Amino acid sequence: MELRGTTILAVKDANGIAVAGDGQVTFGQSVALKHGARKVRRLYHDKILAGFAGATADAFTLFERFEAKLEEFGGNLTRASVELAKEWRMDKYLRRLEAMLVVADAETILILTGTGDVIEPDDGVVGIGSGGAYALAAARALKRETDLPAAVIATKAMAIAAELCVYTNNSVTLETIEIEA
């Protein structure tokens, strides 16, 4: 049985990007196995944020591969993402990994999947995982109707997702990267 269940949300504003992830880990039907897991982390000299949804061991494998690609391509987020996605889709072992990544630098958010997708959202908001749709909807509404900063929008949207999704809790890790002046 795999450890699963999470919500990852990324929000972009004029000042940078915020990535938030809940802390809940589930095991089969056991929802409250762990409350404070850290599913969002800083990579490549703290210039890249990455969050995962899916099987934990698979996500850690992808983090390691993604970090290697970042090093190989000098921190170029898009190039590292495309190269990881190609490798992920074509490699027999990696193709079986059940996880998704949200990766971001100060100006770009991307979703990476095992089918070779590298997707940049049109509106600067993306959500993945079991509560991703709830967090995404809340963040889009807040972004359209308020002038709140990305970090506040991400925090509020994650709280809404935690109210709606049994696989999402309110123990949120939030990381931000600001655009350098």
Side-chain angles (χ1 to χ4, degrees):
M1 212 178 256
E2 304 271 346
L3 297 171
R4 302 179 178 274
T6 198
T7 300
I8 301 294
L9 176 69
V11 180
K12 177 181 175 181
D13 66 15
N15 299 314
I17 293 178
V19 178
D22 78 311
Q24 185 162 287
V25 174
T26 61
F27 186 73
Q29 299 303 315
S30 299
V31 173
L33 183 64
K34 183 171 177 76
H35 300 285
R38 189 167 177 85
K39 302 171 198 166
V40 176
R41 59 181 50 189
R42 291 179 170 276
L43 305 173
Y44 194 75
H45 313 292
D46 293 338
K47 295 179 181 180
I48 305 290
L49 300 177
F52 74 87
T56 306
D58 293 353
F60 286 126
T61 299
L62 292 170
F63 272 154
E64 288 174 13
R65 297 282 181 127
F66 184 60
E67 281 184 294
K69 294 295 181 191
L70 286 169
E71 290 295 330
E72 181 179 349
F73 297 108
N76 183 317
L77 178 73
T78 304
R79 181 77 190 273
S81 297
V82 168
E83 293 302 319
L84 175 65
K86 286 187 336 190
E87 186 177 310
W88 190 358
R89 184 175 63 88
M90 294 173 25
D91 184 275
K92 275 179 151 178
Y93 167 73
L94 292 179
R95 227 183 354 230
R96 293 188 193 129
L97 299 181
E98 296 180 19
M100 292 178 70
L101 297 179
V102 169
V103 297
D105 61 16
E107 299 180 15
T108 305
I109 302 169
L110 300 171
I111 300 172
L112 309 180
T113 73
T115 57
D117 297 320
V118 178
I119 303 166
E120 183 175 5
D122 291 340
D123 61 357
V125 184
V126 67
I128 62 170
S130 55
Y134 302 116
L136 177 64
R140 281 185 173 157
L142 288 165
K143 190 172 179 184
R144 288 181 186 149
E145 302 298 324
T146 70
D147 291 326
L148 295 171
V152 174
I153 290 172
T155 301
K156 289 180 177 289
M158 290 295 288
I160 291 167
E163 290 177 16
L164 299 172
C165 178
V166 69
Y167 295 106
T168 303
N169 72 8
N170 59 6
S171 178
V172 173
T173 300
L174 177 72
E175 294 284 353
T176 62
I177 294 184
E178 294 184 8
I179 296 173
E180 294 180 13

